[in-house]
Amino acid sequence: MSYEIFFQKFENGEAGVIPFEEINAVLKNYGEIIEDDGDFEFVSKVGEICESAYLFGESRDAISGMVFLRPMQHELLPKIIFELLSIENTCFFGPGLDYLQARTDISSQLPESLLEGAESGLQIIDSAYSSWPLS
């Protein structure tokens, strides 16, 4: 069975847009984004953080978020996610909405269905490791 975790931006209840340069500014410290036929894959240079990771959205100029397939227990994955969460109106969530995390209260930006489906509601986090849900 596949396990995925998601990082995504929302604005007014809809998928938001992250400028490519903004997401790349974080990710370039840990690897590189490879474009192949319109798909954007993140390739780690710091070890195996997940089986694979992809940026998603309508185009290079309209990235909405990122999915990490089969994340590993790698010490830097929480740090990468936490740094990505510095991008305005972004959140991190897992399958079945077991958890929903952000660095600030972005409840007003999230889709109602996401908030209602999150088992524990939106959790505001202030460090990469103190509340990491994949321990």
Side-chain angles (χ1 to χ4, degrees):
M1 185 168 118
S2 181
Y3 180 75
E4 302 166 340
I5 55 175
F6 299 89
F7 159 79
Q8 190 165 358
K9 179 171 183 160
F10 291 98
E11 292 177 339
N12 301 313
E14 303 289 331
V17 173
I18 304 168
F20 181 84
E21 294 74 24
E22 192 170 0
I23 198 167
N24 190 49
V26 173
L27 294 177
K28 72 181 180 182
N29 298 314
Y30 304 100
E32 63 180 314
I33 298 170
I34 307 292
E35 183 177 3
D36 182 29
D37 256 353
D39 291 329
F40 297 94
E41 180 176 8
F42 172 68
V43 179
S44 171
K45 67 177 181 187
V46 295
E48 194 170 1
I49 60 168
C50 62
E51 186 174 277
S52 55
Y54 296 92
L55 282 68
F56 57 85
E58 303 221 356
S59 68
R60 183 181 197 276
D61 298 323
I63 302 295
S64 297
M66 190 170 180
V67 59
F68 295 84
L69 306 173
R70 295 190 182 185
M72 309 292 180
Q73 293 293 335
H74 191 286
E75 64 183 15
L76 288 179
L77 184 56
K79 186 175 184 205
I80 294 168
I81 297 290
F82 190 74
E83 286 184 29
L84 286 168
L85 288 173
S86 68
I87 298 171
E88 186 178 30
N89 294 333
T90 57
C91 62
F92 165 61
F93 54 97
L97 295 175
D98 296 348
Y99 49 87
L100 173 62
Q101 299 181 336
R103 287 176 68 165
T104 60
D105 185 356
I106 61 167
S107 300
S108 64
Q109 301 300 321
L110 298 174
E112 261 185 60
S113 59
L114 192 65
L115 280 171
E116 291 171 0
E119 288 182 17
S120 302
L122 177 63
Q123 180 184 15
I124 309 304
I125 59 172
D126 59 9
S127 77
Y129 300 99
S130 64
S131 57
W132 182 243
L134 302 178
S135 302

